[in-house]
Amino acid sequence: MPITPTEKIWMNGELVPWEDAKIHVLTHTLHYGTGVFEGIRAYETPQGPGIFRLTDHITRLFNSARILMMDLPYTREEIVQACKDTVRATGLQSCYVRPIAYYGYGEMGLNTLPCEVDVAIACWPWGAYLGEEAMRKGVRMKISSWVRHDHNIMPPASKTTGNYANSSLAKVEALKAGYDEAVMLNGLGWVSECTGENIFVARNGKILTPPLTAGALEGITQDSVMTIGHDLGFDIRTDNLARSDLYTADEMFVCGTAAEVTPVNSVDDRPVPCPGPMTVAIMDEYAKAIHGDADRYKEWIEHA
């Protein structure tokens, strides 16, 4: 997914030219993976660019930092406004928004307490993460040989840069084996999540998604999907899933800010009906919500 430059990036309180947004090679987080970040999307709406669940994302950013004992040098409200300012500076009607907080230059070693915290926000155009065809045809999934890390090893509740080495290993393994995405199990063998998405499985009229205790990130899109599912009258809930539940699913989809809502057509070469009727209904309602076309979800949109 090549990056398309935009005009400005917000760095430590200033909008600077894209090409000037640079850090030192000895930046602490570059060596130890101790940054926290968010992935957010802004969509074209009748009222201009609308950032989807911006405040919820920034709240999660602060929660991630709290888990790492990282003190952010800005308030939640200041980062929310900075995201809006950065989106507006791009001139784009829709874009991906990446806020990141990281330990900067000046200290080396594993003790982060004396480190200064820098914050940056970049925006750029980004299409369908799993491919445009995936929305219609679905994606092929593989159970990864890589296990999702444990709560007492690398806390999955924190969206930490270092956590994504685990996801990257699983993603590359799946791609090299000819699949689109990987499903990660936890140390007990329960389904956790995909490399960058939460997973939903429909069986016997119920839609299930793994709980946070299984090692899944507390997904903003996951929460949106569950709200939409309830409003559509579906029995949708969190529960543990075994890999065999995926093999015998009536329908399945994954969701995340980058992937949005994407159907699944197979897991380990076991076909899954795709897209299923509940998946289609949720996809359609989600598409309305993100573009500001669903009145009951208007509060999810914050305009730049």
Side-chain angles (χ1 to χ4, degrees), residues 259-270:
E260 300 171 300
V261 181
T262 303
V264 174
N265 63 41
S266 68
V267 178
D268 286 345
D269 302 314
R270 277 83 165 178

Side-chain angles (χ1 to χ4, degrees), residues 45-272:
T45 77
Q47 291 77 40
I51 309 174
F52 189 67
R53 299 193 65 170
L54 171 60
T55 297
D56 293 326
H57 276 285
I58 300 308
T59 296
R60 189 173 66 178
L61 179 76
F62 274 76
N63 287 340
S64 295
R66 184 177 178 182
I67 292 170
L68 260 64
M69 300 183 73
M70 173 188 279
D71 294 323
L72 300 187
Y74 301 95
T75 66
R76 203 175 268 107
E77 293 73 23
E78 286 172 330
I79 298 299
V80 166
Q81 186 58 52
C83 287
K84 293 179 180 180
D85 293 344
T86 311
V87 169
R88 194 161 49 246
T90 68
L92 298 171
Q93 289 300 302
S94 62
C95 61
Y96 186 79
V97 185
R98 170 55 57 86
I100 183 169
Y102 56 96
Y103 293 115
Y105 171 78
E107 294 282 340
M108 194 57 69
L110 296 175
N111 177 15
T112 60
L113 296 177
C115 296
E116 292 192 4
V117 177
D118 294 325
V119 182
I121 304 164
C123 303
W124 66 91
W126 202 358
Y129 177 67
L130 294 173
E132 298 292 344
E133 285 290 292
M135 295 293 187
R136 185 169 57 87
K137 293 183 177 180
V139 291
R140 297 179 68 233
M141 310 283 276
K142 175 190 186 299
I143 303 292
S144 181
S145 68
W146 295 98
V147 174
R148 187 71 170 145
H149 38 64
D150 183 83
H151 287 272
N152 293 317
I153 298 174
M154 294 281 284
S158 178
K159 197 171 174 69
T160 308
T161 57
N163 280 2
Y164 281 80
N166 182 231
S167 294
S168 182
L169 287 166
K171 180 71 172 184
V172 171
E173 177 187 64
L175 292 174
K176 286 179 74 68
Y179 297 86
D180 302 307
E181 183 56 293
V183 178
M184 304 188 73
L185 309 182
N186 65 21
L188 297 175
W190 297 113
V191 175
S192 179
E193 60 180 355
C194 301
T195 64
E197 307 88 19
N198 293 104
I199 187 167
F200 285 81
V201 175
R203 293 188 70 233
N204 303 319
K206 301 181 180 67
I207 306 175
L208 305 177
T209 188
L212 305 183
T213 51
L217 179 71
E218 189 172 11
I220 306 296
T221 310
Q222 178 192 41
D223 179 73
S224 305
V225 163
M226 293 189 75
T227 299
I228 289 169
H230 283 303
D231 291 342
L232 290 171
F234 299 145
D235 183 354
I236 185 168
R237 63 181 83 164
T238 60
D239 203 352
N240 281 319
L241 291 165
R243 66 190 297 166
S244 56
D245 292 321
L246 277 55
Y247 295 160
T248 59
D250 299 323
E251 51 184 293
M252 191 185 312
F253 61 89
V254 298
C255 72
T257 295
E260 300 171 300
V261 181
T262 303
V264 174
N265 63 41
S266 68
V267 178
D268 286 345
D269 302 314
R270 277 83 165 178
V272 177

